[in-house]
């Protein structure tokens, strides 16, 4: 009994943190400081040369951030984590650590629209090329592999379509090609799905969403699975080759199973700079203590709303993997058995105009570009988040003209349904 590992909710409250060693404060303080005093010159020199771990400067590391990192790593079952300013910053640092100019990576087309933009446009200026694949067609990943491919990127539960990805099948493709599988686990959170158990090597999150959970703080995180050999193929020189900015240290050889998280911190975060504010780390930490309770309620409410919508006369279709009739239901049962998350789409028979009218008519739901708040949120992607995509890309991303996206909150389900009902009528 004594050896039984702690459960998810216990970890969500206790992992990563302890009473403050200096003051006894039970809650992790907001270490609102830019820099940290060295013990002596040797200590400073050891920190800068990576011979010792410790705080130097908040761009690179800070005690409030460290508690957040410990908690996320424990919940995901990873070896280490790095918290950063946003989900997009996490993605930037992950690819910065793996890619050289001219390299390629494969990504599922069924992704958050902002990630599609980041990969298609901004990453191009680094010389990193995305090759798109279809998460419902595993062979499209196999066909996209080339000698230049450095990674595969998917979302476990995809935004906005709510589809569930067959992680094990895609992990098999990645493993065969000798490249890592990166999983954006934002919509699922580790409460619903733990991608490392299904073959992922790196997990990223927008902490801005369900992890923080209250719509008040931007944040992102990279979690290292500690289960990829960065030296074997010679494809990842930042990890396998001597690093000039650290006296020739080889990061993978030196840090083993936490090398990827270390590299993202001491190279990417040091040089690109998207650090998370200590206040945001604190707010996200507070939110994460109730992750399990909130996610279960989000999922239960979402299932009630999706079931109700599926019989509504104005609704053409509902895409929610929690519905037994949904084509991703079997995958949901396998990868996210406690629930299908709270973000999903449905189609209005009235098309684009009906979508615009509906988001203008809600009273309690908030019309805004976010997901994962305690409040229920609504958006019409074709006129907002996804408006920059071509008609073809809109359809492939699950954001056609008739599509409305909901992020179901933890209010009383009857009140959510009543507001959607009045807006549709
Ligand atoms: C699935 C997913 N990944 C990544 C991001 C980007 O996160 P952030 O807005 O924190 O940069 C988002 C934002 O909506 C998202 O939904």
């Amino acid at each position: 009994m004594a050896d039984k590992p702690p459960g998810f909710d216990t970890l969500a409250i206790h992992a990563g943190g302890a009473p403050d060693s200096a003051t006894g404060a039970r809650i992790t303080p907001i270490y609102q400081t830019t820099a940290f005093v060295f013990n002596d010159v040797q200590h400073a020199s050891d920190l800068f040369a990576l011979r010792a771990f410790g705080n130097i400067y908040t761009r690179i590391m800070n005690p409030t951030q460290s508690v957040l990192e410990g908690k996320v790593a424990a919940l995901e079952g990873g070896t280490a984590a790095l918290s950063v300013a946003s989900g997009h910053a996490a993605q930037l640092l992950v690819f910065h650590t793996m890619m050289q100019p001219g390299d390629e990576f494969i990504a599922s087309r069924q992704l958050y629209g902002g990630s599609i933009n980041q990969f298609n446009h901004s990453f191009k200026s680094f010389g990193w090329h995305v090759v798109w694949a279809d998460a419902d067609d595993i062979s499209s990943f196999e066909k996209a592999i080339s000698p230049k491919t450095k990674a595969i990127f998917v979302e476990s539960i995809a935004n906005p379509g709510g589809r569930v990805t067959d992680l094990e099948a895609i992990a098999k493709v990645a493993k065969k090609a000798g490249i890592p599988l990166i999983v954006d686990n934002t919509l699922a959170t580790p409460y619903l799905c733990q991608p490392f158990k299904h073959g992922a090597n790196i997990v990223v999150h927008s902490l801005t969403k369900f992890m923080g959970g209250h719509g008040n703080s931007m944040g992102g995180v990279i979690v290292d699975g500690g289960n990829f050999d960065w030296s074997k193929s010679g494809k990842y020189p930042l990890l396998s080759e001597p690093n000039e900015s650290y006296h020739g240290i080889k990061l993978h050889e030196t840090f083993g199973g936490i090398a990827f998280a270390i590299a993202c911190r001491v190279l990417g975060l040091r040089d690109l700079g998207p650090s998370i504010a200590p206040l945001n780390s604190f707010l996200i930490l507070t939110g994460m203590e109730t992750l399990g309770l909130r996610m279960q309620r989000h999922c239960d409410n979402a299932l009630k709303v999706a079931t109700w919508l599926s019989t509504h006369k104005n609704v053409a279709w509902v895409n929610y993997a929690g519905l037994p009739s949904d084509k991703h239901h079997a995958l949901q049962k396998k990868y996210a058995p406690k629930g299908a998350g709270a973000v999903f789409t449905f189609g209005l028979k009235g098309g684009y105009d009906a979508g615009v009218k509906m988001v203008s008519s809600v009273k309690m739901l908030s019309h805004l570009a976010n997901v994962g708040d305690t409040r229920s949120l609504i958006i019409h992607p074709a006129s907002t988040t996804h408006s920059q995509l071509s008609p073809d890309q809109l359809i492939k991303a699950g954001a056609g003209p008739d599509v409305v996206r909901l992020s179901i909150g933890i209010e009383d389900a009857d009140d959510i349904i009543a507001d959607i009902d009045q807006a549709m009528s």
Side-chain angles (χ1 to χ4, degrees):
M1 188 72 187
D3 290 340
K4 184 181 165 292
F8 187 90
D9 292 324
T10 305
L11 285 175
I13 292 167
H14 292 282
D20 184 49
S21 55
T23 63
R26 186 63 192 86
I27 302 302
T28 300
I30 305 164
Y31 284 93
Q32 191 65 32
T33 179
T34 304
F36 300 83
V37 176
F38 305 120
N39 300 344
D40 51 36
V41 172
Q42 185 61 46
H43 177 226
S45 157
D46 287 347
L47 289 175
F48 277 103
L50 300 182
R51 285 189 296 267
F53 283 121
N55 300 300
I56 301 175
Y57 188 65
T58 284
R59 168 155 37 80
I60 304 166
M61 194 160 154
N62 170 291
T64 319
Q65 296 165 355
S66 301
V67 175
L68 175 60
E69 289 157 1
K71 197 180 291 294
V72 179
L75 292 179
E76 283 289 3
T79 52
L82 173 67
S83 58
V84 292
S86 67
H88 267 15
Q91 292 169 193
L92 171 64
L93 295 198
V94 163
F95 284 103
H96 175 262
T97 305
M98 290 182 187
M99 307 280 286
Q100 301 293 304
D103 284 346
E104 294 173 2
F105 66 100
I106 303 168
S108 157
R109 256 187 215 109
Q110 293 88 350
L111 290 188
Y112 163 58
S115 297
I116 294 176
N117 266 339
Q118 187 188 43
F119 295 174
N120 266 339
H121 303 294
S122 293
F123 278 12
K124 239 189 213 161
S125 58
F126 292 88
W128 309 334
H129 302 287
V130 60
V131 179
W132 296 106
D134 179 352
D136 286 331
D137 173 9
I138 304 302
S139 72
S140 68
F141 288 85
E142 284 165 332
K143 285 184 202 136
I145 300 274
S146 88
K148 292 182 184 168
T149 311
K150 290 293 182 70
I152 297 180
F153 183 99
V154 298
E155 289 176 10
S156 48
I157 298 182
N159 181 5
R163 59 169 316 293
V164 180
T165 303
D166 191 348
L167 298 179
E168 287 177 13
I170 298 174
K172 221 165 150 185
V173 176
K175 197 163 184 190
K176 192 167 161 210
I179 57 174
L181 172 63
I182 308 160
V183 176
D184 179 342
N185 202 29
T186 298
L187 293 202
T189 80
Y191 176 74
L192 297 179
C193 176
Q194 293 172 316
F196 294 134
K197 289 189 178 153
H198 304 291
N201 305 104
I202 303 293
V203 165
V204 291
H205 280 275
S206 168
L207 297 174
T208 318
K209 316 298 175 192
F210 295 96
M211 294 283 260
H214 295 73
N216 59 18
S217 310
M218 298 296 299
V221 74
I222 298 160
V223 193
D224 192 340
N227 55 358
F228 189 81
D229 185 342
W230 300 103
S231 303
K232 192 172 168 191
S233 65
K235 279 184 172 185
Y236 306 96
L238 281 193
L239 288 135
S240 62
E241 299 308 310
N243 195 285
E244 283 175 22
S245 66
Y246 287 109
H247 308 293
I249 208 173
K250 291 182 181 177
L251 291 173
H252 183 222
E253 188 180 279
T254 308
F255 295 108
I258 59 169
F260 191 80
I262 297 266
C264 289
R265 182 190 302 280
V266 303
L267 302 174
L269 192 56
R270 181 194 67 176
D271 297 347
L272 302 177
S275 54
I276 183 169
L279 174 62
N280 283 22
S281 304
F282 173 87
L283 291 168
I284 293 167
L285 270 173
T286 305
M288 280 181 61
E289 295 194 358
T290 54
L291 183 61
L293 289 174
R294 286 187 291 102
M295 281 312 287
Q296 195 56 61
R297 174 69 174 240
H298 277 294
C299 291
D300 295 347
N301 276 359
L303 182 58
K304 284 182 193 160
V305 174
T307 304
W308 174 82
L309 278 171
S310 64
T311 60
H312 196 283
K313 64 180 174 18
N314 296 350
V315 173
W317 51 266
V318 180
N319 242 348
Y320 184 60
L323 295 174
S325 56
D326 191 88
K327 71 172 176 172
H328 294 109
H329 191 60
L331 288 172
Q332 183 247 312
K333 287 281 167 222
K334 174 170 182 182
Y335 291 109
K338 286 186 277 197
V343 176
F344 65 94
T345 51
F346 66 97
L348 284 166
K349 287 184 183 159
Y352 188 94
D353 292 342
V356 170
K357 187 112 191 263
M358 178 168 179
V359 295
S360 315
S361 308
V362 287
K363 291 181 180 155
M364 183 183 81
L365 271 69
S366 303
H367 175 211
L368 51 73
N370 193 19
V371 297
D373 195 330
T374 50
R375 290 153 195 78
S376 293
L377 315 174
I378 187 167
I379 200 160
H380 178 232
S383 61
T384 52
T385 47
H386 288 60
S387 61
Q388 70 288 343
L389 301 187
S390 67
D392 184 45
Q393 283 176 322
L394 280 178
I395 300 291
K396 285 178 174 156
D402 59 332
V403 175
V404 173
R405 182 188 73 188
L406 293 171
S407 172
I408 298 299
I410 58 175
E411 305 99 332
D412 291 292
D414 289 351
D415 293 329
I416 303 169
I417 290 172
D419 193 30
I420 296 174
D421 195 23
Q422 69 76 27
M424 284 210 286
S425 59

